[in-house]
Amino acid sequence: MARFRPESPLRGPQFPHRRGPRRGRRVGLHCLRCPCLFSGPCLRQRVPGHAVDEYAIAGGHSPLEGIWTRRLGAMMVPRSLPNLIFEKLNVEIVFDEGGSFHSACWATWVENLLKSIESARRFRALQFDLVKAGLKAEGEVISINMAFLKAGTPSPTKELTTLAMAEPPYSYSVLSLCLLSLLFLLLTTAQEDPLSSSAAIARFQEYLRINTAHPNPQYYKAADFILSQAQSLSLESQTLEFVKGKPLILLKWPGSHPKLPSILLNSPTDVVPAEDDKWVYPPFAAHIDLQGNIYGRGSQDTKGVGLQYLEAIRRLKASGFKPLRSIYLSFVPEEETGGYDGAQKFAESDTFKDMNVGIVLDEGVTSPDDNYKVFYASRCPWWLVIKATGAPGHGAKLYDNTAMENLMISVESIRRFRDSQFDLVKAGLKASSEVISVNMVFLKAGTPSPTGFVMNLQPSEAEAGFDVRVPPNADPDSLERRIAEEWAPASRNITFEVVIQSLIGTLPVLTPTDSSNPWWTLLEEAVRKANGKLDKPQMNLGTTDARYFRVRGLPAVGFSPIANTPNLIHDHNEFLNKAEYLKGISIYESIIKAYATYIEHERTGSSKDEL
């Protein structure tokens, strides 16, 4: 969205006074009520009340390659102004195209903001050099000083560091549609066969409607739902509460050979926050559109996996299947905040030791094609907060060692390292999960005022947070030295803190994905029998609870049977198609059956011996 005050017309070659786009520019469509573009859900489905606006792209063949312009009356307004300096120009530009992303990903709009800041700082340095050289007085140059920084997704403690920065909200209302959908479901599912596809979808919707988003996840409501499903399946159950208010539900289907190492199917119950105003449908309504897409926070990450476990067991029990190995299902809290009060304490508990686990299945991610993604390791999160201090001063004054300047020097150093890692990915030399990713997740500085921030005061403190993901085979000591010596040196009045550093152990924690691991061979064969295909195994781009089991010497595989689906994990409008969800149940049915009947004939003992 761009807002203009009429008393300040824009002129010059960048602002041609004409109706249509220039020759060579392509016109695109953008929805004004959600962050979709060209093929977004509003344009595909013609959502009532969603207006469409025209844009033009100057150069390039994709929105990322050109300069965005927006038609406003007779003017074309540049969407990117990194090299233009306007003095006394009464114009306000607000960008609204960005969505939110998981902070372990590379693409975030904050990079565009930082590029603009760098451009402004280069201009500032040029003007300041004239003053330092004595060529001009301070009052004879254009001074530019940053007065405030504000971005990030708040959490109860600090800014949420697994969700990259998103844009200002939109508004919509679909409450009546949700109520009608709920009424329809109540009327049509009353007498349904519990094994029917519609009944399975209805249970998935019921689970999605439980708001387990941080900062106030409804854990007990989710626990009650899971326990009710366990009761309907005659599964043994117990509630573990390592930390008060954060229940972990453990279910068991006893095997006929209890001395054999058991199978653990792990799934988190919590989800990241959702910005309601940016969703086509409310994020906790579990709305199903005409294409069969089930919209809901957690549909991909990863309430779907937990319910697919249960639905697969429902089918197996109905078929009369009897497992040889005991099968455990763990529904754990706090995965999105690091798993320290959930899976970590569970893996360290006596209860877990008594389970004699041989193999762990944990969450994976979606795949855009037919091949299911599968993970044998995950990167470890380092949540880095850098704080700069400096003397406050008038906003018009140029001087060294301001808090803002000290912080931005660090930000530029971090971004150079980020670019070097990203270049390896772009060149095809490494996968995204094989490099150290660094993404800024919040910026915080400025002196608040009743209307916003004090613009003529340079603040004395500035702070930035980064989500750093470290592969298990990286050198942690080298990274620590880089942080202390390059990114946050004390000589520039900078301090730093690694809020969460979860690099467990000194050796890489990897699950074998070859014939030396019989569980891997069984997984490949089971997926094939269910008419599925596995992609090449890889490290997980993010971090999951599987690491707490791998560090104990157990094989743990990250796997979500979601194919032909765009990755909307931590993004707006997260959805999972009904057909894909139901197919995933069949995939798990095949895997559980293969694992539960497997016997190692040549060797017996613990799961470590089997590997």
Side-chain angles (χ1 to χ4, degrees):
M1 177 176 63
R3 295 193 293 270
F4 293 86
R5 297 183 176 91
E7 68 270 22
S8 301
L10 300 177
R11 305 188 186 280
Q14 293 85 11
F15 304 93
H17 289 253
R18 55 190 298 165
R19 279 284 176 185
R22 292 179 178 177
R23 179 176 297 179
R25 299 189 179 192
R26 297 185 294 109
V27 174
L29 295 177
H30 174 74
C31 174
L32 296 180
R33 305 193 75 171
C34 70
C36 63
L37 184 66
F38 295 116
S39 60
C42 294
L43 303 183
R44 291 198 309 269
Q45 301 161 26
R46 303 182 183 276
V47 175
H50 281 225
V52 174
D53 196 14
E54 274 192 333
Y55 285 83
I57 306 171
H61 299 284
S62 74
L64 298 180
E65 295 175 3
I67 299 175
W68 281 99
T69 60
R70 177 177 183 176
R71 181 185 300 177
L72 286 173
M75 296 184 297
M76 300 295 293
V77 184
R79 300 289 290 170
S80 177
L81 306 174
N83 299 312
L84 301 178
I85 301 298
F86 295 98
E87 186 178 9
K88 297 180 181 179
L89 190 61
N90 202 8
V91 177
E92 179 184 4
I93 298 179
V94 181
F95 297 94
D96 68 357
E97 262 63 53
S100 61
F101 302 87
H102 194 291
S103 54
C105 300
W106 293 103
T108 57
W109 68 268
V110 70
E111 280 298 300
N112 295 330
L113 173 64
L114 292 176
K115 289 176 183 177
S116 295
I117 292 175
E118 284 185 19
S119 178
R121 290 188 64 250
R122 286 194 296 270
F123 181 84
R124 178 188 187 276
L126 178 64
Q127 298 291 296
F128 200 8
D129 286 344
L130 296 175
V131 177
K132 291 178 179 178
L135 299 177
K136 286 191 176 183
E138 191 168 335
E140 297 175 338
V141 298
I142 300 173
S143 65
I144 300 179
N145 291 301
M146 195 179 301
F148 73 90
L149 288 169
K150 185 177 68 171
T153 304
S155 73
T157 51
K158 290 182 178 289
E159 279 69 10
L160 189 67
T161 52
T162 59
L163 187 65
M165 289 178 280
E167 298 287 339
Y170 300 82
S171 61
Y172 68 96
S173 175
V174 290
L175 180 59
S176 58
L177 181 61
C178 297
L179 292 175
L180 288 174
S181 300
L182 179 60
L183 179 61
F184 177 77
L185 286 172
L186 291 174
L187 292 174
T188 56
T189 60
Q191 303 297 326
E192 279 184 321
D193 178 0
L195 291 174
S196 69
S197 296
S198 56
I201 295 297
R203 285 187 289 268
F204 182 34
Q205 288 179 286
E206 185 178 354
Y207 190 32
L208 287 175
R209 291 188 182 110
I210 301 172
N211 187 342
T212 54
H214 292 279
N216 299 304
Q218 297 175 357
Y219 281 136
Y220 289 112
K221 191 173 181 180
D224 289 342
F225 171 78
I226 294 164
L227 290 171
S228 69
Q229 297 303 307
Q231 185 177 6
S232 70
L233 293 170
S234 300
L235 298 177
E236 298 178 9
S237 64
Q238 64 180 124
T239 301
L240 306 173
E241 203 159 340
F242 300 105
V243 176
K244 186 174 178 58
K246 301 175 182 180
L248 183 153
I249 305 302
L250 184 63
L251 310 181
K252 181 182 180 182
W253 186 5
S256 59
H257 292 59
K259 291 186 178 181
L260 289 173
S262 64
I263 302 157
L264 175 62
L265 310 175
N266 186 67
S267 172
T269 54
D270 60 323
V271 298
V272 296
E275 298 173 85
D276 296 25
D277 296 341
K278 295 185 180 178
W279 284 59
V280 178
Y281 306 104
F284 296 100
H287 175 81
I288 302 178
D289 68 8
L290 296 177
Q291 284 72 42
N293 297 323
I294 309 170
Y295 285 82
R297 176 60 88 212
S299 55
Q300 295 184 11
D301 184 29
T302 49
K303 286 185 173 180
V305 167
L307 262 289
Q308 284 171 322
Y309 292 156
L310 288 170
E311 296 299 339
I313 288 176
R314 189 183 304 276
R315 291 184 184 181
L316 288 170
K317 276 182 165 283
S319 70
F321 175 75
K322 303 292 184 183
L324 298 179
R325 298 174 184 266
S326 293
I327 301 169
Y328 289 93
L329 293 85
S330 53
F331 292 82
V332 299
E334 299 297 287
E335 190 273 338
E336 294 294 355
T337 61
Y340 308 103
D341 292 340
Q344 183 178 28
K345 286 183 168 56
F346 174 49
E348 295 170 351
S349 69
D350 291 335
T351 300
F352 182 78
K353 293 176 184 177
D354 294 340
M355 290 162 55
N356 186 26
V357 173
I359 176 66
V360 179
L361 282 186
D362 192 37
E363 62 177 302
V365 300
T366 64
S367 174
D369 53 34
D370 291 335
N371 300 322
Y372 295 120
K373 293 189 179 298
V374 60
F375 303 97
Y376 61 89
S378 61
R379 297 188 299 175
C380 301
W382 291 30
W383 291 350
L384 174 66
V385 176
I386 294 177
K387 186 175 182 179
T389 58
H394 195 285
K397 185 179 180 181
L398 293 171
Y399 58 96
D400 288 316
N401 294 320
T402 69
M404 287 292 200
E405 280 298 296
N406 288 335
L407 179 65
M408 295 315 299
I409 291 172
S410 294
V411 170
E412 289 179 9
S413 176
I414 292 171
R415 290 189 65 247
R416 284 194 295 271
F417 175 82
R418 179 187 188 274
D419 289 343
S420 70
Q421 298 291 292
F422 202 8
D423 286 343
L424 295 175
V425 177
K426 292 177 180 178
L429 300 177
K430 288 190 175 183
S432 293
S433 57
E434 296 174 341
V435 300
I436 300 174
S437 66
V438 184
N439 288 303
M440 185 182 294
V441 292
F442 76 84
L443 288 166
K444 188 167 61 176
T447 304
S449 72
T451 57
F453 289 88
V454 178
M455 295 299 293
N456 64 347
L457 176 63
Q458 298 186 55
S460 60
E461 294 183 353
E463 191 174 355
F466 301 86
D467 186 316
V468 184
R469 300 293 170 125
V470 185
N473 53 0
D475 181 3
D477 294 333
S478 175
L479 181 59
E480 287 179 355
R481 286 194 301 271
R482 184 183 294 273
I483 293 173
E485 297 173 7
E486 297 181 26
W487 296 357
S491 59
R492 288 206 313 270
N493 297 325
I494 293 180
T495 59
F496 72 90
E497 178 185 8
V498 178
V499 178
I500 296 179
Q501 182 174 323
S502 182
L503 195 61
I504 308 173
T506 57
L507 296 176
V509 183
L510 311 172
T511 295
T513 55
D514 54 29
S515 58
S516 68
N517 180 1
W519 300 108
W520 172 255
T521 304
L522 288 169
L523 178 69
E524 282 187 308
E525 181 65 17
V527 172
R528 186 189 63 79
K529 284 183 178 179
N531 298 317
K533 294 182 292 183
L534 292 181
D535 203 347
K536 179 182 177 181
Q538 55 189 286
M539 291 187 193
N540 198 325
L541 187 68
T543 307
T544 71
D545 286 337
R547 67 191 188 276
Y548 296 120
F549 305 111
R550 292 191 185 108
V551 77
R552 311 196 79 78
L554 296 172
V557 177
F559 175 71
S560 292
I562 305 175
N564 301 305
T565 304
N567 189 332
L568 295 172
I569 292 174
H570 294 199
D571 203 346
H572 310 316
N573 301 315
E574 180 183 353
F575 72 84
L576 178 58
N577 190 270
K578 290 195 300 183
E580 200 62 42
Y581 175 76
L582 294 171
K583 183 179 178 181
I585 296 173
S586 299
I587 296 290
Y588 275 131
E589 187 179 358
S590 180
I591 294 172
I592 294 171
K593 190 172 184 178
Y595 277 178
T597 56
Y598 169 66
I599 295 180
E600 179 78 37
H601 294 291
E602 297 180 1
R603 287 176 288 178
T604 58
S606 69
S607 60
K608 296 179 184 178
D609 293 333
E610 291 186 353
L611 287 175

